[in-house]
């Protein structure tokens, strides 16, 4: 005797009944990029369908997202003025704090996650205060101002904070700062295993965060290291993170699965700009069945162990699911 696997494949209803993995609109967090001004909605050439938007346009976008069933966003700020320490991100009247307050006032049901980092706010494009001698980021000095940034986000009304700078000790630093300021119930979604990846290229355009010198390999993960990647997330779990993340997603699904099996926390993946742009370009040239490949990609994230998907495809996925 041999197993006839096709018995459960021949009928479409039965295929649905035995399907092990499903993609739902509630799995997604949609990234939004806010800058000052009015009436600004500038499409990013390297990321078709992704925009830099002024706050009035962001509020309109939130209305559209709700119609699609998307209630979770992750917010990135693009200030008018940048300096060596990213002062705008530390100011309660800065672009990110102002945006949080406005979104929560106009759309209180939206779940607002904030990217906590300095690369969008610094004139050098790195993720913290510069260690000029070693041409890298000064880890401990950056931790000090990261706690300040977290409190700015929390006071403005953020629903969850997501530190992305890959500073050692960032989770315990933020947890202590938030707890000390009375925000002990505010969750932290850690970019716990973030690789120094070539897949981030188009993001530099939308966030205007290209480093002015060097790269981020001295503080982000080496893509070649599997055991270290797992250890990074285990450490953040121990420090008090509420959700772990692997970024990028597509080339690191083995890491997603291993972290999922090694930890007890919910797992997020960031389906990054380069992954998005590749599918967009392939679809534009009719090299793939675009919608089918998008959904297959999302399924791969869920199958690998992701509970949450941060993706620029989220609106498209919602429309595909609504039209099924």
């Amino acid at each position: 005797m041999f197993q006839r696997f096709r018995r459960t494949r021949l009928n479409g209803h039965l295929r649905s009944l035995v399907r092990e993995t499903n993609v739902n609109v509630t799995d997604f967090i949609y990234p939004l990029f806010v800058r000052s001004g009015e009436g600004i909605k500038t499409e990013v050439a390297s990321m078709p369908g992704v925009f830099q938007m002024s706050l009035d346009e962001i509020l309109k976008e939130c209305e559209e997202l709700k119609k699609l069933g998307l209630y979770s966003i992750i917010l990135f700020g693009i200030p008018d003025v940048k300096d060596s320490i990213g002062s705008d991100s530390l100011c309660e009247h800065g672009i990110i704090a102002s945006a949080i307050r406005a979104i929560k006032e106009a759309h209180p049901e939206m779940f607002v996650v904030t990217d906590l980092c300095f690369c969008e706010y610094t004139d050098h494009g790195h993720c913290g205060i510069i260690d000029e001698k070693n041409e890298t980021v000064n880890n401990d000095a950056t931790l000090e101002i990261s706690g300040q940034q977290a409190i700015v986000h929390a006071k403005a009304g953020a629903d969850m904070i997501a530190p992305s700078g890959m500073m050692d000790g960032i989770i315990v630093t933020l947890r202590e700062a938030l707890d000390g300021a009375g925000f002990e119930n505010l969750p932290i979604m850690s970019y716990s295993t973030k690789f120094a990846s070539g897949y981030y290229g188009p993001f530099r355009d939308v966030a205007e965060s290209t480093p002015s010198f060097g790269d981020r390999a001295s503080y982000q993960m080496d893509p070649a290291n599997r055991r270290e990647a797992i250890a990074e997330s285990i450490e953040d779990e121990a420090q008090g993170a509420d959700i772990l993340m692997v970024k990028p997603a597509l080339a690191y699904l083995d890491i997603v699965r291993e972290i999922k099996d090694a930890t007890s926390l919910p797992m997020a993946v960031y389906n990054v700009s380069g992954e998005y742009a590749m599918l967009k370009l392939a679809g534009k040239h009719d090299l793939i069945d675009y919608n089918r490949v998008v959904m297959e990609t999302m399924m791969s994230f869920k199958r690998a162990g992701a509970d949450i998907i941060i993706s620029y495809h989220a609106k498209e996925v919602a429309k595909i699911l609504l039209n099924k």
Side-chain angles (χ1 to χ4, degrees):
M1 292 290 292
F2 57 87
Q3 178 66 41
R4 293 187 182 272
F5 291 99
R6 68 185 59 227
R7 288 174 184 152
T8 56
R9 298 173 186 163
L10 289 172
N11 184 281
H13 294 295
L14 184 52
R15 285 198 301 273
S16 296
L17 287 169
V18 300
R19 186 165 294 135
E20 299 174 29
T21 307
N22 289 283
V23 176
N24 301 296
V25 69
T26 52
D27 298 330
F28 289 86
I29 299 175
Y30 187 60
L32 290 175
F33 300 87
V34 60
R35 66 180 318 137
S36 60
E38 292 185 7
I40 297 170
K41 188 173 183 180
T42 306
E43 188 170 25
V44 181
S46 57
M47 298 177 68
V50 175
F51 300 84
Q52 291 182 344
M53 288 183 271
S54 53
L55 188 48
D56 56 325
E57 294 294 333
I58 289 278
L59 297 180
K60 294 176 188 176
E61 184 71 8
C62 287
E63 197 64 53
E64 293 304 311
L65 291 173
K66 290 191 295 185
K67 291 176 183 177
L68 294 171
L70 293 166
Y71 284 85
S72 298
I73 59 173
I74 183 165
L75 198 59
F76 298 84
I78 307 165
D80 287 335
V81 178
K82 304 187 180 194
D83 61 21
S84 62
I85 65 167
S87 298
D88 190 87
S89 67
L90 304 173
C91 175
E92 64 179 19
H93 302 295
I95 186 63
I96 192 75
S98 299
I100 298 165
R101 285 193 298 271
I103 293 169
K104 292 303 293 184
E105 181 178 353
H107 303 285
E109 65 275 41
M110 293 297 289
F111 185 79
V112 180
V113 185
T114 55
D115 177 80
L116 190 149
C117 195
F118 293 95
C119 61
E120 303 108 290
Y121 305 94
T122 56
D123 52 13
H124 48 72
H126 280 282
C127 298
I129 295 174
I130 293 298
D131 174 352
E132 294 184 2
K133 180 180 178 181
N134 296 304
E135 294 191 342
T136 186
V137 171
N138 184 318
N139 188 91
D140 292 9
T142 301
L143 291 181
E144 291 185 24
I145 58 174
S146 295
Q148 297 174 39
Q149 189 182 157
I151 292 171
V152 168
H153 291 197
K155 287 182 176 179
D159 295 300
M160 184 160 69
I161 290 174
S164 62
M166 285 295 284
M167 298 297 113
D168 295 330
I170 187 65
I171 300 304
V172 68
T173 296
L174 298 186
R175 192 70 274 160
E176 289 177 353
L178 291 168
D179 290 1
F183 296 101
E184 63 275 2
N185 292 321
L186 188 64
I188 298 173
M189 177 172 66
S190 174
Y191 286 66
S192 53
T193 300
K194 180 179 178 181
F195 292 90
S197 171
Y199 280 97
Y200 302 145
F203 180 87
R204 312 291 186 228
D205 298 332
V206 65
E208 298 181 5
S209 61
T210 302
S212 61
F213 67 91
D215 56 29
R216 299 188 175 110
S218 61
Y219 48 99
Q220 293 179 355
M221 273 287 315
D222 184 341
N225 292 0
R226 180 183 63 84
R227 289 176 298 178
E228 184 185 5
I230 299 164
E232 282 273 15
S233 282
I234 290 174
E235 173 65 19
D236 280 10
E237 179 182 38
Q239 288 184 29
D242 299 286
I243 299 171
L244 304 174
M245 187 198 301
V246 173
K247 179 184 180 181
L250 196 56
Y252 298 92
L253 295 182
D254 58 323
I255 304 300
V256 175
R257 171 46 58 189
E258 292 208 50
I259 293 173
K260 183 72 170 183
D261 290 344
T263 66
S264 61
L265 295 182
M267 172 67 63
V269 294
Y270 201 134
N271 176 210
V272 300
S273 59
E275 299 166 4
Y276 173 84
M278 288 192 300
L279 292 194
K280 279 291 184 183
L281 188 62
K284 178 181 178 181
H285 292 282
D286 294 324
L287 300 176
I288 57 172
D289 180 334
Y290 179 76
N291 284 357
R292 181 177 179 180
V293 172
V294 166
M295 294 306 296
E296 193 172 333
T297 302
M298 301 305 124
M299 187 70 73
S300 76
F301 300 150
K302 291 293 297 290
R303 192 181 63 246
D307 303 289
I308 299 165
I309 302 170
I310 305 170
S311 179
Y312 307 101
H313 291 292
K315 290 169 64 178
E316 297 171 322
V317 171
K319 290 173 184 177
I320 292 169
L321 292 173
L322 286 171
N323 291 327
K324 271 191 172 181

